[in-house]
Amino acid sequence: MIDGKKVLFSGMQATGNLTLGNYLGALKNWLTLSDEYECFYSVVDLHSITVRQNPAELRKRARSLLTLYIAAGLDPKKNCIYYQSHVSGHAELSWILSCFTYMGELNRMTQFKDKAAKHADNINAGLFTYPVLMAADILLYQADVVPVGVDQMQHLELTRNIAERFNNIYGDVFTVPEAYVGKVGAKIMSLQDPSRKMSKSDENPNASIYLMDDPDTIMRKFKRAVTDSEGCIRYSEQQPGIKNLLDIYCACTGKTPQEAVKEFEGKGYGELKPAVGEAVISVLRPLQEEMKRLSGDKAYIDSVIKENAEKANYYAMKTLRKVQRKVGFPDRIR
Ligand code: TRP
């Protein structure tokens, strides 16, 4: 609890171009949480180097992700928006927690198996201990809730196990976090293969709408979106391509699937696709303009970075010092 509010932690990686899926599925929902929770939103750059990065590129993307948080409407006075690498407590707590995590547990992580298969030439120890760092992120702020997608549920479950294990030995040190299951964010699928999630790491650029795509590109991608040969517009699992287009349309317009289906009654895919494209363009346009404006305001963004890193450090250190005492590290002499 901070000032009578429950604490919420989440983070995103600054790798790959962010997609409409990241925005509609995650970022947009974060906006609704800042009144109810004390929110920490991190740009998790420590996690990013588990796969090889170009340094200049990583730095640039990290800044643009941080800027995007603000452009999307998160008020940095109310939400702690910061770089993970600016708070050394993440790495320090991660080390301690790694001594309370079993190899067997980490071996079971499906994301590790996937990533190891994908980066067979660089299966480094960081890739393996990635979930411990994620546990440290969350536990460092004594987070009560963590909004995560299903792909991160296993990591959150591990975090809870580590917290409980630690608490069993040392008393109540960590808040055991819960997954945040509020109004579910839209799950946006690939435009080229609606059985897969829209992903920033998809090699096919037509599969994803990137947040910085211009209107022509957006239209073109929607016109090429994979559908089916049914020819009618229903909201059904039998028509995953159409369902995805309707989901995107609804997430952008605030309409319900029923309303959308009614609107397109008797119409063809040739009418649905550009309508979805237009809806997306009108959501992304203001976001892109705000990105541009904020990116030009270096002094402001710098001040956010500095102030919020200080705030994050303050809370992180409170937990870290307590943990260090509990495990038996000597007190600091002041
Ligand atoms: N691993 C998460 C992802 O790839 C990002 C992340 C890092 C995170 N630390 C976190 C998410 C803590 C929630 C809480 O999506």
Side-chain angles (χ1 to χ4, degrees), residues 186-199 202 204 206-208 221-222 224-229 234-248 269 273:
K187 187 164 183 215
I188 307 299
M189 312 306 278
S190 156
L191 298 184
Q192 292 297 314
D193 175 1
S195 68
R196 287 179 18 204
K197 206 172 117 174
M198 184 180 286
S199 161
D202 205 309
N204 182 351
N206 289 322
S208 310
K221 288 181 179 176
F222 276 109
R224 286 192 190 166
V226 168
T227 51
D228 52 54
S229 52
R234 278 176 309 206
Y235 189 74
S236 136
E237 301 293 344
Q238 263 68 58
Q239 292 179 265
I242 296 300
K243 179 171 179 289
N244 188 37
L245 290 178
L246 288 170
D247 277 334
I248 295 173
Y269 299 170
K273 287 175 167 188

Side-chain angles (χ1 to χ4, degrees), residues 109-120:
M109 296 291 122
T110 57
Q111 194 176 65
F112 169 68
K113 292 183 207 170
D114 292 348
K115 286 197 182 176
K118 229 172 128 189
H119 303 278

Side-chain angles (χ1 to χ4, degrees), residues 9-13 44 47 84 111 115 130 133-135 137-138 146-148 151-152 155:
F9 185 95
S10 199
M12 268 193 218
Q13 288 205 50
V44 291
H47 281 93
Q84 185 186 28
Q111 194 176 65
K115 286 197 182 176
Y130 178 115
L133 179 58
M134 185 162 155
D137 298 342
I138 297 166
V146 183
V148 280
D151 59 322
Q152 298 297 319
H155 292 163

Side-chain angles (χ1 to χ4, degrees), residues 91-256:
E92 293 182 68
L93 182 60
S94 181
W95 167 252
I96 296 174
L97 296 182
S98 73
C99 300
F100 294 84
T101 308
Y102 297 108
M103 299 287 286
E105 288 177 302
L106 294 176
N107 259 323
R108 282 198 291 277
M109 296 291 122
T110 57
Q111 194 176 65
F112 169 68
K113 292 183 207 170
D114 292 348
K115 286 197 182 176
K118 229 172 128 189
H119 303 278
D121 55 336
N122 180 20
I123 306 178
N124 60 71
L127 200 60
F128 189 64
T129 58
Y130 178 115
V132 183
L133 179 58
M134 185 162 155
D137 298 342
I138 297 166
L139 300 181
L140 199 50
Y141 299 94
Q142 306 287 358
D144 296 276
V145 290
V146 183
V148 280
V150 277
D151 59 322
Q152 298 297 319
M153 273 306 195
Q154 200 184 23
H155 292 163
L156 187 63
E157 207 42 54
L158 176 70
T159 303
R160 292 168 50 86
N161 290 339
I162 297 172
E164 280 166 359
R165 183 172 304 145
F166 198 95
N167 286 351
N168 279 337
I169 305 173
Y170 299 105
D172 272 339
V173 177
F174 293 123
T175 302
V176 181
E178 309 267 352
Y180 176 83
V181 272
K183 192 175 142 291
V184 279
K187 187 164 183 215
I188 307 299
M189 312 306 278
S190 156
L191 298 184
Q192 292 297 314
D193 175 1
S195 68
R196 287 179 18 204
K197 206 172 117 174
M198 184 180 286
S199 161
K200 51 190 174 182
S201 50
D202 205 309
E203 320 84 56
N204 182 351
N206 289 322
S208 310
I209 301 292
Y210 300 115
L211 294 184
M212 293 302 139
D213 277 350
D214 60 50
D216 288 347
T217 308
I218 294 173
M219 268 305 180
R220 186 169 43 76
K221 288 181 179 176
F222 276 109
K223 286 188 181 152
R224 286 192 190 166
V226 168
T227 51
D228 52 54
S229 52
E230 305 249 334
C232 69
I233 297 169
R234 278 176 309 206
Y235 189 74
S236 136
E237 301 293 344
Q238 263 68 58
Q239 292 179 265
I242 296 300
K243 179 171 179 289
N244 188 37
L245 290 178
L246 288 170
D247 277 334
I248 295 173
Y249 185 73
C250 292
C252 291
T253 57
K255 292 180 183 163
T256 66

Side-chain angles (χ1 to χ4, degrees), residues 52-115:
R52 211 58 81 220
Q53 302 290 338
N54 171 315
E57 189 72 6
L58 177 59
R59 201 166 0 255
K60 206 174 99 200
R61 285 183 191 228
R63 185 157 178 122
S64 97
L65 180 55
L66 186 132
T67 307
L68 179 70
Y69 285 0
I70 305 167
L74 291 172
D75 177 353
K77 290 259 177 259
K78 285 206 244 158
N79 302 273
C80 189
I81 293 171
Y82 73 101
Y83 296 126
Q84 185 186 28
S85 62
H86 284 191
V87 179
S88 62
H90 289 260
E92 293 182 68
L93 182 60
S94 181
W95 167 252
I96 296 174
L97 296 182
S98 73
C99 300
F100 294 84
T101 308
Y102 297 108
M103 299 287 286
E105 288 177 302
L106 294 176
N107 259 323
R108 282 198 291 277
M109 296 291 122
T110 57
Q111 194 176 65
F112 169 68
K113 292 183 207 170
D114 292 348
K115 286 197 182 176

